[in-house]
């Protein structure tokens, strides 16, 4: 089993990466593999609702969205990490995830997910609320912890000093591992995925 984590910061080794790495350390102890996918600092397109998505993902292939989609299809769980800008997630991570889910949302169904927000001081709760919305619309069980999934610090070294934040990341990792193992045990007992209806799509404007 493997958890795919997204570093939604342009800083490859900053506070967001530090939080995700703490999760990864515990996942490995629990026998779960992981990868931290780096968005990097390259420009990210917004979703323009063109409707030209394909099995490979988004029609635009000049950034890392489709690379992430390919990895997501093989992953068993997800953690999306973001720095906090003006009390909301990075605009780049939202553009990235909008295109990922718009083009390939069904690849995430029934796979557990969690979001992590990192800030110098404020805006983490509102950022988590935004990221968590991807899970509910995509049939993804949400993994919680012993506090909201947030870490404080302006730099990676400072994030390591947030004792409760690091504790929250470790408990999140253990909860993710437990959930994945429970799902695997269910499969072995022959418990299939629930039936999904998709026929009805109501439009209120005629």
């Amino acid at each position: 089993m493997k958890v795919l984590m997204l570093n939604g910061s342009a800083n490859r080794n900053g506070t967001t990466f530090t939080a995700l790495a703490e999760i990864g350390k515990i996942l490995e102890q629990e026998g779960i593999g992981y990868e931290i996918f780096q968005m990097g600092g390259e420009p990210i397109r917004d979703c323009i609702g063109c409707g030209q998505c394909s099995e490979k993902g988004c029609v635009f292939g000049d950034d890392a969205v489709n690379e992430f989609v390919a990895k997501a299809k093989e992953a068993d769980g997800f953690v999306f990490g973001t720095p906090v800008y003006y009390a909301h997630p990075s605009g780049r991570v939202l553009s990235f995830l909008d295109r990922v889910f718009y083009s390939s949302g069904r690849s995430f169904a029934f796979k557990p997910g969690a979001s992590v927000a990192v800030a110098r001081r404020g805006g983490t709760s509102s950022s988590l609320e935004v990221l968590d919305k991807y899970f509910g619309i995509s049939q993804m069980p949400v993994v919680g912890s012993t506090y909201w999934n947030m870490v404080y610090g302006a730099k990676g070294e400072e994030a390591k000093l947030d004792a409760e934040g690091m504790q929250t990341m470790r408990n999140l990792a253990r909860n993710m591992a437990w959930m994945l193992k429970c799902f695997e045990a269910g499969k072995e007992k022959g418990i299939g995925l629930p039936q999904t209806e998709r026929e009805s799509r109501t439009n209120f404007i005629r």
Side-chain angles (χ1 to χ4, degrees), residues 137-150:
I137 198 172
S138 303
Q139 296 179 289
M140 298 175 68
V142 179
V143 184
S145 187
T146 46
Y147 196 73
W148 290 279
N149 301 332
M150 54 184 69

Side-chain angles (χ1 to χ4, degrees), residues 76-89:
D76 301 290
F78 302 91
V79 180
F80 303 147
T82 184
V84 175
Y85 299 149
Y86 296 97
H88 63 75

